[in-house]
Amino acid sequence: MAAKENTLCALLCCSTMSAKSAISKEIFAPLDERMLGAVQVKRRTKKKIPFLATGGQGEYLTYICLSVTNKKPTQASITKVKQFEGSTSFVRRSQWMLEQLRQVNGIDPNRDSAEFDLLFENAFDQWVASTASEKCTFFQILHHTCQRYLTDRKPEFINCQSKIMGGNSILHSAADSVTSAVQKASQALNERGERLGRAEEKTEDMKNSAQQFAETAHKLAMKHKC
């Protein structure tokens, strides 16, 4: 049973990653925007939405996406993206500038929870992510982006775990991995350079020894000839 659950989780993760890659290419790349992160969500409390409001397309998947513009000055935004049942494409729905985000509620700071709330100037939504880890990753990226791009009024993060607020562990881990890889590559090049240097020195010594041997042999040959 555990193996079956792990397999299903792996398949869900692969499917989610594939969807996020497609969203980045279809929704944000054409507008010269870069998607920083996304989380697949469902409403905790369903809103009564008229059938016509969804275009009569039935069930759908929802993603909350965080993106920034490539052009300066950089502008960050949060976008709600949907994929309707039977369709392979994605549709951009609501969008808010990051400055409009007022509060991020992690619901429970003492345990891993997939639930969270987002409060904007003109909207409030209660969500549950597909997994607690996906929510955690999105929160870390969101917190880091707010700290980087918002200078004045930053949103309030409440009921969030310390690993989210304590310095963006995933981002720092990735940065540490890159730094470590660079250091190892540099060390390997230095060691290779030292080995090459020693090999060149040995080659030069052998060359000098051979030259001295040749000169000595020549002198002996001339002496015996005389």
Side-chain angles (χ1 to χ4, degrees), residues 51-121:
F51 179 74
L52 292 178
T54 64
Q57 298 180 17
E59 296 295 324
Y60 53 83
L61 298 177
T62 302
Y63 298 85
I64 303 297
C65 308
L66 178 65
S67 64
V68 293
T69 58
N70 289 320
K71 293 182 179 180
K72 305 295 182 179
T74 303
Q75 293 183 328
S77 60
I78 295 177
T79 306
K80 187 190 303 180
V81 174
K82 293 184 178 182
Q83 182 184 33
F84 288 93
E85 186 178 20
S87 174
T88 58
S89 60
F90 297 87
V91 181
R92 181 192 296 258
R93 290 302 194 185
S94 307
Q95 185 176 48
W96 301 269
M97 300 305 298
L98 193 59
E99 292 85 350
Q100 295 178 288
L101 182 62
R102 291 291 171 258
Q103 187 183 86
V104 179
N105 189 343
I107 306 300
D108 193 338
N110 300 315
R111 67 180 181 87
D112 290 336
S113 170
E115 299 179 349
F116 67 95
D117 297 341
L118 295 180
L119 174 64
F120 297 92
E121 288 181 350

Side-chain angles (χ1 to χ4, degrees), residues 85-211:
E85 186 178 20
S87 174
T88 58
S89 60
F90 297 87
V91 181
R92 181 192 296 258
R93 290 302 194 185
S94 307
Q95 185 176 48
W96 301 269
M97 300 305 298
L98 193 59
E99 292 85 350
Q100 295 178 288
L101 182 62
R102 291 291 171 258
Q103 187 183 86
V104 179
N105 189 343
I107 306 300
D108 193 338
N110 300 315
R111 67 180 181 87
D112 290 336
S113 170
E115 299 179 349
F116 67 95
D117 297 341
L118 295 180
L119 174 64
F120 297 92
E121 288 181 350
N122 57 351
F124 173 69
D125 282 316
Q126 297 177 311
W127 301 107
V128 55
S130 59
T131 64
S133 61
E134 188 181 2
K135 165 202 163 182
C136 180
T137 300
F138 181 76
F139 267 36
Q140 288 179 324
I141 297 173
L142 178 60
H143 183 261
H144 174 78
T145 304
C146 289
Q147 298 302 313
R148 179 176 181 181
Y149 294 109
L150 297 182
T151 56
D152 298 327
R153 187 175 179 180
K154 298 177 182 179
E156 178 185 23
F157 281 75
I158 64 172
N159 300 321
C160 294
Q161 292 177 294
S162 58
K163 61 183 177 181
I164 295 174
M165 306 299 294
N168 306 303
S169 59
I170 288 180
L171 297 174
H172 285 179
S173 176
D176 291 343
S177 298
V178 172
T179 301
S180 176
V182 171
Q183 291 175 343
K184 289 180 180 179
S186 178
Q187 181 179 357
L189 287 174
N190 290 335
E191 292 175 353
R192 182 182 179 187
E194 291 176 359
R195 289 196 296 270
L196 288 174
R198 289 194 294 269
E200 289 177 354
E201 290 177 359
K202 289 182 180 180
T203 302
E204 187 66 24
D205 291 340
M206 292 175 64
K207 179 181 177 181
N208 292 335
S209 297
Q211 186 174 357

